[in-house]
Amino acid sequence: MTMRDIATPTRTKEILKKYGFSFKKSLGQNFLVDLNILSKIVDAAELTKEKGAIEIGPGIGALTEQLSRRAGKVVAVEIDQRLLPILADTLSAYPHTEIVHGDVLEMDLGTLIQEKFSEQEKVSVVANLPYYVTSAILMKLLEERLPLENIVVMIQKEVAERIAAGPGGKEYGALSVLAQFYAEAEVVTIVPHSVFIPQPNVDSAVLRLRIRNKPAVAVESEAMFYRVVKASFAQRRKTLSNNLLNNLFGKERKEEMLGILAEAGIEPARRGETLSLEEFARLSNLISQAAT
């Protein structure tokens, strides 16, 4: 008997009806029903039988099923307890796939990777992320320096474009800088809102973050680098010097700040969105040195 894919409108509706499942708006649940898009997501993750995948928010298992056919081991983390029996049913044909109940933002993912993927060469995170926690989850995955090969996520189109943006445009912001510090960012494909049940109000995009062996630029203090980047974009319409004064230095240290900008070769009247990763690194290193 051939297995019927979960990710079709008919099969998804059958499963939802069988279990009387109702969507929780608070969890941002939108289930994908397009096999072509799923195939692009799994391809972007570059999975093989020697590799593993962590999925965040498997829903009823549409993406999980495709990952299970490609990877040697899959661990799917689901926050909604109501979905656990559904997943046990829909994924019963894949003994190398494990469902873990929990909130990924509260989990120790480093330990999870050590315990669950000891036999896999590499691990990637692959997920259709709820819009409301996208940034928090991505920053956790990056800042914790997890031993990941790729992070492939379907997220709101505008957010994906912001993360992959280069300096100089209005899309470029703190999230772009911090993500590109750790990874090479690329928008793989745009996903219309019509391929979900229920349909969200906006289009999505598949974003791939290919994790770098070491950060893109050398910084003396990652904590200071974050602080400088976040301060520089605190109010987008303000100049860099105004943002740094108001959000990092304080008005009484204006001369010191202007001296550091001069030493970094950065005009005070520029805006944060015009600075490259290298310039942010130079600036944060000089501020770190001045603080010691």
Side-chain angles (χ1 to χ4, degrees):
M1 170 176 134
T2 56
M3 292 186 61
R4 291 167 63 212
D5 293 292
I6 295 167
T8 65
T10 310
R11 179 101 166 91
T12 294
K13 284 172 184 167
E14 274 176 18
I15 294 167
L16 296 176
K17 188 177 175 188
K18 177 180 175 183
Y19 286 91
F21 183 81
S22 57
F23 292 91
K24 263 193 188 166
K25 212 164 189 179
S26 63
L27 293 176
Q29 290 169 329
N30 302 93
F31 296 163
L32 184 63
V33 288
D34 187 303
L35 288 164
N36 181 40
I37 301 288
L38 282 176
S39 177
K40 287 180 180 176
I41 294 171
V42 178
D43 286 348
E46 303 171 313
L47 297 169
T48 66
K49 291 297 179 194
E50 287 69 50
K51 297 179 182 181
I54 297 172
E55 187 187 2
I56 299 163
I60 58 171
L63 175 57
T64 329
E65 175 179 67
Q66 305 301 321
L67 294 171
S68 301
R69 292 174 187 173
R70 201 81 65 92
K73 167 96 189 191
V74 178
V75 173
V77 180
E78 178 53 62
I79 194 170
D80 188 350
Q81 201 159 356
R82 301 173 307 149
L83 287 164
L84 303 183
I86 303 179
L87 289 162
D89 178 11
T90 59
L91 301 171
S92 59
Y94 305 101
H96 60 297
T97 295
E98 188 177 335
I99 309 302
V100 175
H101 179 231
D103 180 349
V104 76
L105 288 171
E106 316 228 317
M107 292 174 86
D108 178 348
L109 292 175
T111 301
L112 181 126
I113 290 169
Q114 277 180 339
E115 289 176 354
K116 307 286 188 189
F117 295 97
S118 56
E119 293 175 22
Q120 278 66 47
E121 290 172 4
K122 292 180 175 173
V123 179
S124 291
V125 167
V126 192
N128 171 15
L129 291 182
Y131 292 159
Y132 75 101
V133 285
T134 295
S135 298
I137 289 175
L138 285 178
M139 289 322 299
K140 176 184 170 80
L141 295 174
L142 294 167
E143 287 178 2
E144 290 186 2
R145 290 291 184 86
L146 300 166
L148 299 172
E149 180 180 22
N150 292 303
I151 298 171
V152 179
V153 286
M154 185 155 53
I155 58 179
Q156 193 170 332
K157 176 173 171 272
E158 280 179 18
V159 178
E161 287 170 344
R162 282 215 308 268
I163 291 171
K170 65 180 192 317
E171 284 87 16
Y172 184 71
L175 197 56
S176 329
V177 176
L178 297 176
Q180 291 171 39
F181 177 68
Y182 292 112
E184 292 171 48
E186 174 198 357
V187 175
V188 175
T189 189
I190 304 300
V191 184
H193 64 276
S194 56
V195 297
F196 294 92
I197 295 177
Q199 291 186 14
N201 297 325
V202 293
D203 290 342
S204 299
V206 177
L207 175 80
R208 173 168 60 201
L209 297 172
R210 195 174 259 136
I211 306 301
R212 302 179 191 275
N213 293 328
K214 61 178 185 182
V217 286
V219 297
E220 292 184 13
S221 160
E222 285 188 18
M224 180 57 79
F225 182 73
Y226 297 155
R227 284 182 65 199
V228 169
V229 170
K230 285 172 181 168
S232 301
F233 288 100
Q235 288 175 280
R236 291 191 70 98
R237 294 184 170 204
K238 291 202 168 178
T239 62
L240 184 65
S241 59
N242 271 334
N243 267 329
L244 291 175
L245 269 187
N246 294 337
N247 299 285
L248 196 64
F249 282 88
K251 297 265 193 304
E252 70 283 357
R253 296 172 63 200
K254 184 174 182 179
E255 292 310 312
E256 180 191 352
M257 183 212 64
L258 290 172
I260 287 172
L261 284 174
E263 196 178 340
I266 297 169
E267 285 288 325
R270 285 174 65 184
R271 289 196 172 133
E273 67 201 45
T274 68
L275 269 66
S276 65
L277 258 71
E278 290 73 19
E279 287 175 311
F280 276 118
R282 198 156 68 235
L283 185 56
S284 79
N285 287 343
L286 287 168
I287 295 171
S288 290
Q289 288 159 20
T292 53

Coordinates of all heavy atoms in Angstrom, one line a residue, residues 1-72:
M1 N 0.8 -1.2 0.0 CA 0.0 0.0 0.0 C 0.9 1.2 0.0 O 1.8 1.4 0.8 CB -0.9 -0.1 1.3 CG -1.6 1.2 1.6 SD -2.7 0.9 3.0 CE -2.3 2.4 3.9
T2 N 0.6 2.1 -0.9 CA 1.4 3.4 -0.9 C 0.9 4.3 0.1 O -0.3 4.4 0.4 CB 1.3 4.1 -2.3 OG1 0.0 4.3 -2.6 CG2 2.0 3.2 -3.4
M3 N 1.9 5.0 0.7 CA 1.5 6.0 1.8 C 1.0 7.3 1.2 O 1.6 7.8 0.2 CB 2.8 6.2 2.7 CG 3.2 5.0 3.4 SD 4.5 5.4 4.6 CE 3.7 6.6 5.6
R4 N 0.0 7.8 1.8 CA -0.6 9.1 1.3 C 0.1 10.2 2.0 O 0.1 10.2 3.3 CB -2.1 9.1 1.5 CG -2.9 8.1 0.6 CD -4.3 8.0 1.1 NE -5.0 9.2 1.0 CZ -5.9 9.6 1.9 NH1 -6.3 8.8 2.9 NH2 -6.6 10.7 1.7
D5 N 0.6 11.1 1.3 CA 1.3 12.3 1.9 C 0.3 13.1 2.8 O -0.8 13.3 2.4 CB 1.9 13.2 0.8 CG 3.0 12.6 0.1 OD1 4.1 12.3 0.7 OD2 2.8 12.3 -1.1
I6 N 0.8 13.5 3.9 CA 0.0 14.3 4.8 C -0.3 15.7 4.2 O -1.4 16.2 4.4 CB 0.7 14.5 6.2 CG1 0.9 13.2 6.9 CG2 0.0 15.5 7.1 CD1 1.9 13.2 8.1
A7 N 0.7 16.2 3.5 CA 0.6 17.6 3.0 C -0.2 17.8 1.8 O 0.2 18.4 0.8 CB 2.0 18.2 2.8
T8 N -1.5 17.4 1.8 CA -2.4 17.7 0.7 C -3.7 18.3 1.4 O -3.9 17.9 2.6 CB -2.8 16.5 -0.1 OG1 -3.5 15.6 0.7 CG2 -1.6 15.8 -0.7
P9 N -4.4 19.1 0.8 CA -5.6 19.7 1.5 C -6.6 18.6 1.9 O -7.1 18.6 3.1 CB -6.2 20.5 0.4 CG -5.1 20.9 -0.5 CD -4.2 19.8 -0.5
T10 N -6.8 17.5 1.1 CA -7.7 16.5 1.4 C -7.3 15.7 2.7 O -8.0 15.5 3.6 CB -7.9 15.5 0.2 OG1 -8.1 16.3 -0.9 CG2 -9.0 14.5 0.5
R11 N -6.0 15.2 2.6 CA -5.5 14.4 3.7 C -5.4 15.3 5.0 O -5.8 14.8 6.1 CB -4.1 13.9 3.4 CG -3.5 13.0 4.4 CD -3.6 11.6 4.1 NE -2.7 10.8 5.0 CZ -3.0 10.3 6.2 NH1 -4.2 10.5 6.7 NH2 -2.1 9.6 6.9
T12 N -5.0 16.5 4.9 CA -4.9 17.4 6.1 C -6.3 17.5 6.7 O -6.5 17.4 8.0 CB -4.3 18.7 5.8 OG1 -3.0 18.5 5.4 CG2 -4.3 19.7 7.0
K13 N -7.3 17.8 5.9 CA -8.7 18.0 6.4 C -9.2 16.7 7.1 O -9.9 16.7 8.1 CB -9.6 18.4 5.3 CG -9.4 19.9 5.0 CD -10.2 20.3 3.8 CE -9.9 21.8 3.4 NZ -10.4 22.1 2.0
E14 N -8.9 15.5 6.5 CA -9.3 14.2 7.0 C -8.7 14.1 8.4 O -9.4 13.6 9.3 CB -8.7 13.1 6.1 CG -9.6 12.7 5.0 CD -8.9 11.6 4.1 OE1 -7.9 11.0 4.6 OE2 -9.3 11.5 3.0
I15 N -7.4 14.4 8.6 CA -6.7 14.2 9.9 C -7.3 15.1 10.9 O -7.6 14.7 12.1 CB -5.2 14.4 9.7 CG1 -4.6 13.3 8.9 CG2 -4.5 14.5 11.1 CD1 -3.2 13.6 8.4
L16 N -7.6 16.4 10.5 CA -8.1 17.4 11.4 C -9.5 16.9 11.9 O -9.9 17.1 13.1 CB -8.2 18.8 10.8 CG -6.9 19.4 10.4 CD1 -7.1 20.7 9.7 CD2 -6.0 19.6 11.6
K17 N -10.3 16.4 11.0 CA -11.7 16.0 11.3 C -11.7 14.7 12.2 O -12.4 14.7 13.1 CB -12.4 15.7 9.9 CG -13.9 15.4 10.1 CD -14.6 15.2 8.8 CE -16.0 14.8 9.1 NZ -16.7 14.4 7.8
K18 N -10.8 13.8 11.8 CA -10.7 12.6 12.6 C -10.4 12.9 14.1 O -11.0 12.2 15.0 CB -9.6 11.7 12.1 CG -9.3 10.4 12.8 CD -8.2 9.6 12.2 CE -7.9 8.4 13.1 NZ -6.7 7.6 12.5
Y19 N -9.6 13.8 14.4 CA -9.2 14.1 15.8 C -10.0 15.3 16.3 O -9.7 15.7 17.5 CB -7.7 14.4 15.9 CG -6.9 13.1 15.8 CD1 -6.4 12.7 14.5 CD2 -6.6 12.3 16.9 CE1 -5.7 11.5 14.4 CE2 -5.9 11.2 16.8 CZ -5.5 10.7 15.6 OH -4.8 9.6 15.5
G20 N -10.9 15.9 15.5 CA -11.6 17.1 16.0 C -10.7 18.2 16.4 O -11.0 18.9 17.4
F21 N -9.6 18.4 15.6 CA -8.6 19.4 16.0 C -9.0 20.8 15.6 O -9.5 21.0 14.5 CB -7.3 19.1 15.3 CG -6.2 20.0 15.7 CD1 -5.5 19.9 16.9 CD2 -5.8 21.1 14.9 CE1 -4.5 20.7 17.3 CE2 -4.8 22.0 15.3 CZ -4.1 21.8 16.5
S22 N -8.9 21.8 16.6 CA -9.2 23.2 16.2 C -7.9 24.0 16.4 O -7.2 23.7 17.3 CB -10.3 23.7 17.1 OG -9.9 23.5 18.5
F23 N -7.7 24.9 15.5 CA -6.5 25.7 15.5 C -6.5 26.7 16.7 O -7.5 27.3 17.0 CB -6.3 26.5 14.2 CG -6.1 25.6 13.0 CD1 -7.1 25.1 12.3 CD2 -4.8 25.2 12.7 CE1 -6.9 24.2 11.2 CE2 -4.5 24.3 11.7 CZ -5.6 23.8 10.9
K24 N -5.3 26.9 17.3 CA -5.2 27.9 18.3 C -4.4 29.1 17.8 O -3.3 29.0 17.4 CB -4.3 27.3 19.5 CG -5.1 26.7 20.6 CD -4.2 26.5 21.8 CE -5.0 25.7 22.9 NZ -4.2 25.2 23.9
K25 N -5.1 30.2 17.7 CA -4.5 31.4 17.1 C -3.3 31.8 17.9 O -2.3 32.3 17.4 CB -5.6 32.5 17.2 CG -5.4 33.5 16.0 CD -6.6 34.4 15.8 CE -6.5 35.1 14.5 NZ -7.6 36.0 14.2
S26 N -3.4 31.6 19.3 CA -2.3 32.0 20.1 C -1.0 31.3 19.8 O 0.1 31.8 20.2 CB -2.6 31.8 21.6 OG -2.8 30.4 21.8
L27 N -1.1 30.1 19.2 CA 0.2 29.3 18.8 C 0.6 29.6 17.4 O 1.5 29.0 16.9 CB -0.1 27.9 19.1 CG -0.3 27.5 20.6 CD1 -0.6 26.0 20.7 CD2 1.0 27.8 21.4
G28 N -0.2 30.4 16.7 CA 0.2 30.7 15.3 C 0.2 29.5 14.4 O 1.1 29.3 13.6
Q29 N -0.8 28.6 14.5 CA -0.8 27.4 13.8 C -1.4 27.6 12.4 O -2.5 27.9 12.2 CB -1.6 26.3 14.6 CG -0.9 25.9 15.8 CD -1.8 25.1 16.7 OE1 -3.0 25.3 16.8 NE2 -1.2 24.2 17.5
N30 N -0.5 27.3 11.4 CA -0.9 27.3 10.0 C -0.2 26.1 9.3 O 1.0 26.0 9.3 CB -0.5 28.6 9.2 CG -1.0 29.8 9.9 OD1 -0.4 30.4 10.8 ND2 -2.2 30.2 9.5
F31 N -1.0 25.1 8.8 CA -0.4 23.9 8.3 C -0.3 24.0 6.8 O -1.2 24.4 6.1 CB -1.3 22.7 8.7 CG -1.4 22.5 10.2 CD1 -2.4 21.7 10.7 CD2 -0.5 23.0 11.1 CE1 -2.5 21.4 12.1 CE2 -0.6 22.8 12.4 CZ -1.6 22.0 12.9
L32 N 0.9 23.6 6.3 CA 1.3 23.7 4.9 C 0.7 22.5 4.2 O 0.8 21.4 4.6 CB 2.8 23.7 4.8 CG 3.4 23.9 3.4 CD1 3.0 25.2 2.8 CD2 4.9 23.7 3.4
V33 N 0.1 22.8 3.0 CA -0.5 21.7 2.2 C 0.0 21.8 0.8 O -0.8 21.7 -0.2 CB -2.1 21.8 2.3 CG1 -2.6 21.3 3.6 CG2 -2.6 23.2 1.9
D34 N 1.3 21.9 0.6 CA 1.9 22.0 -0.7 C 3.2 21.1 -0.7 O 4.2 21.5 -0.2 CB 2.2 23.4 -1.1 CG 2.6 23.6 -2.5 OD1 3.6 23.0 -2.9 OD2 2.0 24.4 -3.2
L35 N 3.1 20.0 -1.4 CA 4.3 19.1 -1.4 C 5.5 19.7 -2.2 O 6.6 19.4 -1.8 CB 3.9 17.8 -2.1 CG 3.0 16.9 -1.3 CD1 2.3 15.8 -2.1 CD2 3.7 16.3 -0.1
N36 N 5.3 20.5 -3.2 CA 6.3 21.2 -3.9 C 7.2 22.1 -3.0 O 8.4 22.1 -3.0 CB 5.7 22.0 -5.1 CG 6.8 22.7 -5.9 OD1 7.9 22.1 -6.2 ND2 6.5 23.9 -6.3
I37 N 6.5 22.9 -2.2 CA 7.2 23.8 -1.2 C 7.9 22.9 -0.2 O 9.1 23.2 0.2 CB 6.2 24.7 -0.5 CG1 5.4 25.6 -1.5 CG2 6.9 25.6 0.6 CD1 6.2 26.7 -2.2
L38 N 7.3 21.9 0.3 CA 8.0 21.0 1.3 C 9.2 20.4 0.7 O 10.3 20.3 1.4 CB 7.0 19.9 1.7 CG 6.0 20.2 2.7 CD1 5.0 19.1 3.0 CD2 6.6 20.7 4.1
S39 N 9.2 20.0 -0.5 CA 10.4 19.5 -1.2 C 11.5 20.5 -1.3 O 12.7 20.2 -1.0 CB 10.0 19.0 -2.6 OG 11.1 18.5 -3.3
K40 N 11.2 21.8 -1.5 CA 12.2 22.8 -1.6 C 12.8 23.0 -0.2 O 14.0 23.3 -0.1 CB 11.6 24.1 -2.1 CG 11.3 24.1 -3.6 CD 10.7 25.4 -4.0 CE 10.4 25.4 -5.5 NZ 9.7 26.6 -6.0
I41 N 12.0 22.9 0.9 CA 12.5 23.1 2.2 C 13.5 22.0 2.6 O 14.6 22.3 3.1 CB 11.3 23.1 3.3 CG1 10.4 24.3 3.0 CG2 11.8 23.1 4.7 CD1 9.1 24.3 3.9
V42 N 13.1 20.8 2.3 CA 13.9 19.6 2.6 C 15.2 19.6 1.8 O 16.3 19.4 2.3 CB 13.1 18.3 2.4 CG1 14.0 17.1 2.7 CG2 11.9 18.3 3.4
D43 N 15.1 20.0 0.5 CA 16.3 20.1 -0.3 C 17.3 21.2 0.2 O 18.5 20.9 0.3 CB 15.9 20.6 -1.8 CG 15.3 19.4 -2.6 OD1 15.3 18.3 -2.1 OD2 14.7 19.7 -3.7
A44 N 16.7 22.3 0.7 CA 17.6 23.4 1.2 C 18.4 22.9 2.4 O 19.4 23.4 2.7 CB 16.7 24.6 1.5
A45 N 17.8 22.0 3.2 CA 18.5 21.5 4.4 C 19.6 20.5 4.1 O 20.4 20.2 5.0 CB 17.4 20.8 5.3
E46 N 19.7 20.1 2.9 CA 20.9 19.2 2.5 C 21.0 18.0 3.3 O 22.1 17.6 3.8 CB 22.2 20.0 2.5 CG 22.1 21.3 1.6 CD 23.3 22.2 1.7 OE1 23.7 22.5 2.9 OE2 23.8 22.6 0.7
L47 N 19.9 17.3 3.6 CA 19.9 16.1 4.4 C 20.2 14.9 3.7 O 20.0 14.7 2.5 CB 18.5 16.0 5.1 CG 18.0 17.1 6.0 CD1 16.5 16.9 6.3 CD2 18.8 17.1 7.2
T48 N 20.8 13.9 4.4 CA 21.1 12.6 3.9 C 20.9 11.6 5.1 O 20.6 12.0 6.2 CB 22.6 12.4 3.5 OG1 23.4 12.5 4.7 CG2 23.1 13.5 2.5
K49 N 21.0 10.3 4.8 CA 20.7 9.3 5.9 C 21.8 9.4 7.0 O 21.6 8.8 8.1 CB 20.7 7.9 5.3 CG 19.5 7.7 4.4 CD 18.2 7.7 5.2 CE 17.0 7.5 4.3 NZ 15.7 7.9 5.0
E50 N 22.9 10.1 6.7 CA 24.0 10.2 7.7 C 23.8 11.4 8.6 O 24.5 11.7 9.5 CB 25.4 10.3 7.1 CG 25.9 9.1 6.5 CD 25.1 8.6 5.2 OE1 24.9 9.4 4.3 OE2 24.7 7.4 5.2
K51 N 22.7 12.2 8.3 CA 22.5 13.5 9.0 C 21.2 13.5 9.8 O 20.3 12.6 9.5 CB 22.5 14.7 8.0 CG 23.8 14.9 7.3 CD 23.7 16.0 6.3 CE 25.0 16.3 5.5 NZ 24.9 17.4 4.6
G52 N 21.1 14.4 10.7 CA 19.8 14.5 11.5 C 19.1 15.8 11.3 O 19.7 16.8 10.9
A53 N 17.9 15.8 11.7 CA 17.1 17.1 11.7 C 16.3 17.3 12.9 O 15.7 16.4 13.5 CB 16.2 17.1 10.5
I54 N 16.3 18.6 13.4 CA 15.4 19.0 14.5 C 14.3 19.8 13.9 O 14.6 20.8 13.2 CB 16.2 19.8 15.6 CG1 17.3 19.0 16.2 CG2 15.2 20.4 16.6 CD1 18.2 19.8 17.1
E55 N 13.1 19.4 14.1 CA 12.0 20.2 13.6 C 11.3 20.9 14.8 O 11.1 20.3 15.9 CB 11.0 19.4 12.9 CG 9.9 20.2 12.2 CD 8.7 19.5 11.6 OE1 8.7 18.2 11.8 OE2 7.8 20.1 11.1
I56 N 10.9 22.2 14.6 CA 10.2 22.9 15.7 C 8.8 23.1 15.2 O 8.6 23.7 14.2 CB 10.9 24.3 15.9 CG1 12.4 24.1 16.4 CG2 10.1 25.1 17.0 CD1 13.2 25.3 16.3
G57 N 7.8 22.7 16.0 CA 6.4 22.8 15.7 C 6.0 22.0 14.5 O 5.6 22.5 13.5
P58 N 6.0 20.7 14.7 CA 5.6 19.8 13.5 C 4.2 19.8 13.1 O 3.8 19.3 12.0 CB 6.0 18.4 14.1 CG 6.0 18.5 15.5 CD 6.4 19.9 15.9
G59 N 3.3 20.3 14.0 CA 1.9 20.4 13.6 C 1.3 18.9 13.5 O 1.4 18.2 14.5
I60 N 0.8 18.6 12.4 CA 0.3 17.2 12.2 C 1.3 16.3 11.5 O 1.0 15.1 11.2 CB -1.1 17.1 11.5 CG1 -1.0 17.8 10.1 CG2 -2.2 17.8 12.4 CD1 -2.3 17.6 9.3
G61 N 2.5 16.8 11.2 CA 3.5 16.0 10.7 C 3.8 16.1 9.2 O 4.5 15.3 8.6
A62 N 3.3 17.1 8.5 CA 3.5 17.3 7.1 C 5.0 17.4 6.7 O 5.5 16.6 5.8 CB 2.7 18.5 6.5
L63 N 5.7 18.3 7.3 CA 7.1 18.5 7.0 C 7.9 17.3 7.7 O 8.9 16.8 7.1 CB 7.6 19.8 7.6 CG 9.1 20.1 7.5 CD1 9.6 20.0 6.1 CD2 9.4 21.5 8.0
T64 N 7.5 16.9 8.9 CA 8.2 15.8 9.6 C 8.3 14.6 8.7 O 9.3 13.9 8.7 CB 7.4 15.5 10.9 OG1 6.8 16.6 11.4 CG2 8.3 14.9 11.9
E65 N 7.2 14.2 8.0 CA 7.1 13.1 7.2 C 8.2 13.2 6.1 O 8.9 12.2 5.8 CB 5.7 13.0 6.6 CG 5.5 11.9 5.6 CD 4.1 11.9 5.0 OE1 3.7 12.9 4.4 OE2 3.4 10.9 5.3
Q66 N 8.3 14.3 5.4 CA 9.3 14.5 4.4 C 10.7 14.5 4.9 O 11.6 13.9 4.3 CB 9.0 15.8 3.6 CG 7.6 16.0 3.1 CD 7.2 15.0 2.1 OE1 8.0 14.5 1.3 NE2 6.0 14.5 2.2
L67 N 10.9 15.0 6.1 CA 12.3 15.0 6.7 C 12.6 13.5 7.0 O 13.8 13.1 6.9 CB 12.3 15.8 8.0 CG 12.1 17.3 7.8 CD1 11.9 18.0 9.2 CD2 13.3 17.9 7.1
S68 N 11.6 12.8 7.5 CA 11.9 11.4 7.9 C 12.3 10.5 6.8 O 13.0 9.5 6.9 CB 10.6 10.8 8.6 OG 10.3 11.6 9.7
R69 N 11.8 10.9 5.6 CA 12.2 10.1 4.4 C 13.6 10.4 3.9 O 14.2 9.6 3.2 CB 11.2 10.4 3.2 CG 9.8 9.9 3.5 CD 8.8 10.3 2.4 NE 7.4 9.9 2.8 CZ 6.4 10.3 2.1 NH1 6.5 11.1 1.0 NH2 5.2 9.9 2.5
R70 N 14.1 11.5 4.4 CA 15.5 12.0 3.9 C 16.6 11.8 4.9 O 17.7 11.5 4.6 CB 15.3 13.4 3.4 CG 16.4 13.9 2.5 CD 16.1 13.6 1.0 NE 14.9 14.2 0.5 CZ 14.9 15.4 -0.2 NH1 16.1 16.0 -0.3 NH2 13.8 15.8 -0.7
A71 N 16.3 12.1 6.2 CA 17.3 12.1 7.2 C 17.4 10.8 8.0 O 16.4 10.0 8.0 CB 17.0 13.2 8.2
G72 N 18.5 10.5 8.6 CA 18.8 9.3 9.4 C 18.0 9.4 10.7 O 17.7 8.3 11.3

